[in-house]
Amino acid sequence: MGIDRRRRASLALTLNFVALFLAVSALTTSYWCEGTRKVVKPFCTGPVTAKQSFCIGFNSSGVNDTRLVQYIWETGDDKYVLRKFHTGIWFSCEENINMSGEKCRSFLYVAPSNERGVLWLCIVAECLYILLLATGGILMSIEVCHFGNVIDGLKLNAFAAIFTVLSGLLGMVAHMMFTTAFQLTVSLGPEDWKPQSWDYSWSYILAWTSFTACMASSVTTINRYTKTILEFKHKRRNIEKNLKIKQKLLELDSPEQVWDMYISSVPSTAEELLDLSSNGRKLSNTSIFLDLNDLPDPQSEEYC
């Protein structure tokens, strides 16, 4: 039983550490969502020797001059460029117009003003999720390395289960709040940020995988606690059953009943009477006198 309980504790601790690592990785990266934005190509500046795919050139030779007639050959989708972007809880980054490098800005300022409160609650919930998850992991580590009595281990196990369950609930709420805030930002956000197409990325997958590992750890911890309590109750019932059986045996072999059985047969000698008295049997005065009167006379003739 102890080896099985130790294995379950190690499994719960491993799942907790996996959930903690994934949660920290998801929170510190900005790839929760990614997609593309359709942006109008700017005019090319400076001398252009070859056609550029990210800007619009003129048909005039030499330096571009706005006083000249501008002939733009690009029409339809050729006038636009697709710029990739990725967004996390903290930042939203977008490629530069020349497709080299990226420019980042805080996602709090991208979100609509009426949705920033939801985003702040999401950040607080994510931080509490990681904090409670780490607390549960510390308690599980103490329990695994603890070599004291089982009662102290059960107390640590109970607190670890409570912290892990609470962290899982906070993580789920935080992930759902970010999803809601991002979708509202896509619909009501600024025009210079609205994406043409987007999808959830690997940081978002890490966040929900962390939640899954956290809940698996909490279920394993609660199962271990419940199983240990049931084992103790089973042992207690067995001990109580054995005590009841011993009590019945003691009642059947009580001193009064044993003395009644002995008093029915009168001892023949004084030595037997003294032996019964030395064994703790309680004799009434009347019975003693009756037994002494019935005793045979000592053989005094041998000493004459």
Side-chain angles (χ1 to χ4, degrees):
M1 183 185 68
I3 297 177
D4 189 24
R5 188 164 56 247
R6 184 77 61 178
R7 288 177 179 175
R8 291 197 298 269
S10 301
L11 176 61
L13 181 61
T14 303
L15 290 172
N16 184 279
F17 282 161
V18 170
L20 182 62
F21 174 76
L22 295 178
V24 173
S25 300
L27 184 63
T28 54
T29 54
S30 59
Y31 282 88
W32 288 59
C33 300
E34 61 181 354
T36 56
R37 287 186 59 237
K38 192 175 182 179
V39 182
V40 178
K41 291 181 181 179
F43 293 116
C44 297
T45 57
V48 179
T49 57
K51 183 178 180 179
Q52 303 291 335
S53 60
F54 53 86
C55 63
I56 299 176
F58 304 102
N59 62 340
S60 59
S61 59
V63 180
N64 292 324
D65 191 350
T66 56
R67 293 175 296 176
L68 300 177
V69 179
Q70 301 175 357
Y71 295 99
I72 301 173
W73 298 102
E74 286 82 358
T75 58
D77 291 337
D78 292 334
K79 294 192 300 181
Y80 300 94
V81 62
L82 295 177
R83 299 170 64 180
K84 295 181 180 180
F85 79 97
H86 55 88
T87 303
I89 293 179
W90 304 102
F91 298 103
S92 177
C93 300
E94 185 178 1
E95 282 183 337
N96 291 324
I97 195 63
N98 57 358
M99 304 301 176
S100 61
E102 58 184 15
K103 178 180 63 178
C104 298
R105 49 181 169 172
S106 176
F107 186 64
L108 287 171
Y109 297 104
V110 175
S113 58
N114 57 345
E115 297 298 330
R116 291 176 184 174
V118 177
L119 198 56
W120 273 114
L121 287 176
C122 171
I123 294 174
V124 172
E126 285 286 348
C127 294
L128 288 177
Y129 166 58
I130 294 176
L131 179 62
L132 292 176
L133 196 60
T135 305
I138 292 173
L139 292 177
M140 291 180 190
S141 301
I142 296 174
E143 182 191 1
V144 170
C145 301
H146 184 66
F147 296 99
N149 53 11
V150 183
I151 302 300
D152 293 338
L154 278 178
K155 293 179 181 178
L156 292 173
N157 193 2
F159 282 109
I162 292 173
F163 280 112
T164 310
V165 170
L166 289 178
S167 66
L169 294 177
L170 282 174
M172 179 184 67
V173 172
H175 302 343
M176 294 176 65
M177 283 194 295
F178 174 80
T179 304
T180 303
F182 182 81
Q183 291 177 354
L184 290 175
T185 305
V186 171
S187 302
L188 306 175
E191 293 297 330
D192 62 344
W193 182 86
K194 285 185 178 181
Q196 183 186 18
S197 62
W198 63 275
D199 200 357
Y200 298 109
S201 188
W202 55 269
S203 294
Y204 190 79
I205 297 174
L206 287 182
W208 282 107
T209 306
S210 170
F211 165 75
T212 305
C214 173
M215 296 308 296
S217 175
S218 63
V219 169
T220 305
T221 306
I222 294 174
N223 176 265
R224 181 160 50 92
Y225 176 80
T226 307
K227 188 172 182 180
T228 306
I229 292 296
L230 291 177
E231 289 174 352
F232 280 152
K233 288 184 177 180
H234 179 69
K235 287 185 176 180
R236 182 179 178 181
R237 283 196 299 266
N238 290 336
I239 292 174
E240 290 178 352
K241 185 177 179 181
N242 293 332
L243 289 176
K244 287 180 180 179
I245 294 174
K246 291 181 180 179
Q247 185 67 26
K248 289 181 180 180
L249 292 175
L250 289 176
E251 290 176 357
L252 292 176
D253 297 334
S254 60
E256 289 80 7
Q257 294 181 359
V258 173
W259 174 245
D260 293 339
M261 185 174 61
Y262 272 93
I263 203 65
S264 61
S265 60
V266 178
S268 59
T269 61
E271 286 80 7
E272 293 181 3
L273 181 63
L274 293 175
D275 290 336
L276 288 175
S277 300
S278 62
N279 289 332
R281 310 302 182 187
K282 296 181 180 179
L283 301 175
S284 61
N285 295 329
T286 306
S287 301
I288 294 174
F289 287 133
L290 290 174
D291 294 337
L292 290 175
N293 292 330
D294 294 336
L295 288 175
D297 294 331
Q299 299 177 0
S300 58
E301 297 177 357
E302 299 178 359
Y303 301 99
C304 293

